[in-house]
Amino acid sequence: MATRPDYYKTLGVDRKATPEEIKKTYRKLARQYHPDRNPDDEQAEARFKEISQAHDVLGDPEKRKQYDSGSGPFATGAGPGGGFGGFGNFDFDGNSMGDILSNLFGGSTSGRRVRTKPRAEKGTDLEAQVSISFDQAVSGAQVPLQVPMHQSCPTCHGTGAKPGTAPSVCPRCEGRGIETQGQGMFSISQPCSLCGGTGTVIEDPCPTCNGAGAVRTVKRLRVNIPAGVRDGSRIRLAGKGEPGRNGGPPGDLYLITHVEPSSLFTRKGDNLEVEVPLSIPEALRGAEVQVPTLSGTKTLRVQPGTASGTVQRLRGEGPPKLGRSGEKGDIHYRFVIDVPKNLSKEQESAIEELSRTLDGNPRAGLFGNGSAAAAAAASASAAGDTAAKGAGDGS
Ligand SMILES: [Zn+2]
Ligand SMILES: [Zn+2]
């Protein structure tokens, strides 16, 4: 025959203890052995279960009476399954126990604050926008930043409980975090609706954080923007997010960069592009021209007969490639021929001189070779020249 557990001994109370005394002792022990307070301590956990079971019986006047008299479910050897090999043969129904406990704990359980689960959790990831100049984007920068975030409440150190108090065992689930509805084979277990599965509730919330365990603050940071970011880059700053909970690692901070455009350089992928005006003689005869780089100037050799739109590039003079250390993009120099709007008398006669010698038709290739259309186009072009000139003068 199985032995009957001595619940009075488990709780350390006298057989004649009043319900008040049992309640008081139980609460004291439950706090002491609660798994939240004794993480990874199997002995404490086993003790906590014993205490809870003892209280489940002794805390209920009806069950206590049956227990004391050895009747009902407590009758030893009363038939098959009647032994006390385990604690599974009487009703541990979650609801009724919740009611009993909530009575014992002094009234309604509604409105109690729920405590965050004492499992290590990574802090929340945050996102912030930073505006930087073009130069800062190219060379990298350290910028001050104010990031609103939650931090562990300084008053309660994150417990959510008023200083001097501690979160207590959830009266509905007795700290198990699970509620069971129904009986036997048809019972359904689900996270406790009162404590949300954490097993604890806060009866006296911390006045600073209102029981949340965290407060909203603005954290001032100096963040390093890596060289080579672009407008709209998303940079991950590991560990700069909200602090972790219960010893968990902090979250990350994602920075979205807004880069002011440069008056000179246009970003094209990994490279930069600059427009370089050439005078007509430079384009015709070739030249050596000074061009800007990110660090100063360089000389480019312009080939004779350079067409408008020709691109020359300087490899490795561009911005650093983000995430590929040491690699840099290029700068593309796009030549555009600077056409003067107004000509002096001297320039005009020089152009006259030039047009006499440059008498070919550059558009001949647009039309069929030697066809009537080509001839018509050529003569139309000659007439068009004067027409265009007249229009230009008028404007
Ligand atoms: Zn607090
Ligand atoms: Zn609960």
Side-chain angles (χ1 to χ4, degrees):
M1 188 185 291
T3 48
R4 197 171 85 148
D6 189 339
Y7 289 143
Y8 291 100
K9 210 170 142 192
T10 303
L11 289 183
V13 294
D14 191 81
R15 294 200 159 265
K16 294 190 183 70
T18 63
E20 279 304 307
E21 283 167 343
I22 287 170
K23 173 187 155 190
K24 215 172 127 191
T25 311
Y26 162 67
R27 290 185 68 177
K28 188 173 142 259
L29 290 173
R31 278 187 184 161
Q32 188 181 342
Y33 290 101
H34 193 275
D36 281 2
R37 289 209 165 173
N38 305 277
D40 302 324
D41 184 342
E42 280 177 27
Q43 268 184 317
E45 195 184 325
R47 182 91 175 92
F48 180 76
K49 278 182 188 153
E50 281 172 20
I51 296 160
S52 302
Q53 281 155 356
H55 174 258
D56 182 68
V57 174
L58 301 186
D60 176 358
E62 191 55 36
K63 283 183 186 167
R64 186 180 177 185
K65 213 155 75 189
Q66 290 180 338
Y67 175 79
D68 285 347
S69 64
S71 64
F74 305 101
T76 52
F84 248 98
F87 302 115
N89 28 12
F90 53 88
D91 179 23
F92 263 119
D93 174 69
N95 279 335
S96 68
M97 190 161 68
D99 293 344
I100 294 159
L101 289 166
S102 76
N103 289 338
L104 285 173
F105 277 90
S108 165
T109 53
S110 62
R112 281 188 192 166
R113 296 272 166 186
V114 168
R115 188 193 171 200
T116 50
K117 201 165 195 163
R119 201 184 59 211
E121 272 179 81
K122 189 186 176 217
T124 308
D125 292 342
L126 299 173
E127 198 176 273
Q129 320 267 332
V130 276
S131 291
I132 52 172
S133 70
F134 179 81
D135 289 345
Q136 285 178 314
V138 167
S139 22
Q142 201 185 57
V143 296
L145 192 66
Q146 297 190 4
V147 189
M149 64 171 75
H150 287 99
Q151 285 193 301
S152 183
C153 171
T155 308
C156 63
H157 304 288
T159 66
K162 194 164 141 191
T165 72
S168 55
V169 177
C170 171
R172 180 162 299 167
C173 64
E174 285 223 293
R176 284 187 293 256
I178 289 167
E179 254 183 302
T180 307
Q181 291 189 336
Q183 285 181 5
M185 284 174 70
F186 304 103
S187 65
I188 298 163
S189 291
Q190 54 192 38
C192 171
S193 59
L194 178 63
C195 65
T198 62
T200 57
V201 290
I202 293 164
E203 287 170 81
D204 295 313
C206 161
T208 307
C209 63
N210 236 349
V215 286
R216 216 165 156 71
T217 55
V218 174
K219 197 166 174 190
R220 286 160 203 277
L221 296 170
R222 290 196 73 81
V223 293
N224 289 313
I225 310 280
V229 296
R230 302 181 205 177
D231 190 48
S233 289
R234 194 165 189 261
I235 306 155
R236 174 173 171 261
L237 298 178
K240 297 281 185 190
E242 289 192 351
R245 288 172 286 276
N246 307 304
D252 302 328
L253 174 62
Y254 289 89
L255 292 183
I256 311 292
T257 52
H258 293 293
V259 181
E260 283 170 37
S262 159
S263 56
L264 220 51
F265 299 102
T266 308
R267 184 114 195 187
K268 295 272 160 97
D270 284 334
N271 309 313
L272 297 178
E273 197 175 276
V274 197
E275 274 201 355
V276 180
L278 293 180
S279 71
I280 293 169
E282 281 171 338
L284 290 174
R285 293 188 296 199
E288 287 195 344
V289 296
Q290 296 283 303
V291 292
T293 62
L294 290 173
S295 53
T297 58
K298 284 228 154 146
T299 304
L300 281 189
R301 183 179 292 277
V302 179
Q303 295 301 310
T306 291
S308 206
T310 302
V311 172
Q312 262 195 50
R313 68 178 137 192
L314 287 179
R315 288 189 184 276
E317 286 290 333
K321 291 184 183 177
L322 203 58
R324 278 177 286 169
S325 74
E327 283 186 55
K328 286 184 167 187
D330 309 330
I331 303 184
H332 293 185
Y333 296 93
R334 179 180 295 275
F335 296 121
V336 286
I337 302 197
D338 189 43
V339 178
K341 290 268 187 297
N342 298 299
L343 294 177
S344 66
K345 280 259 178 285
E346 197 187 349
Q347 287 163 337
E348 220 161 304
S349 61
I351 295 295
E352 265 324 299
E353 200 65 24
L354 185 65
S355 67
R356 244 197 306 281
T357 51
L358 283 176
D359 56 354
N361 176 14
R363 289 169 299 282
L366 294 178
F367 306 96
N369 239 359
S371 70
S379 67
S381 141
D385 272 354
T386 43
K389 215 179 213 173
D393 288 345
S395 69

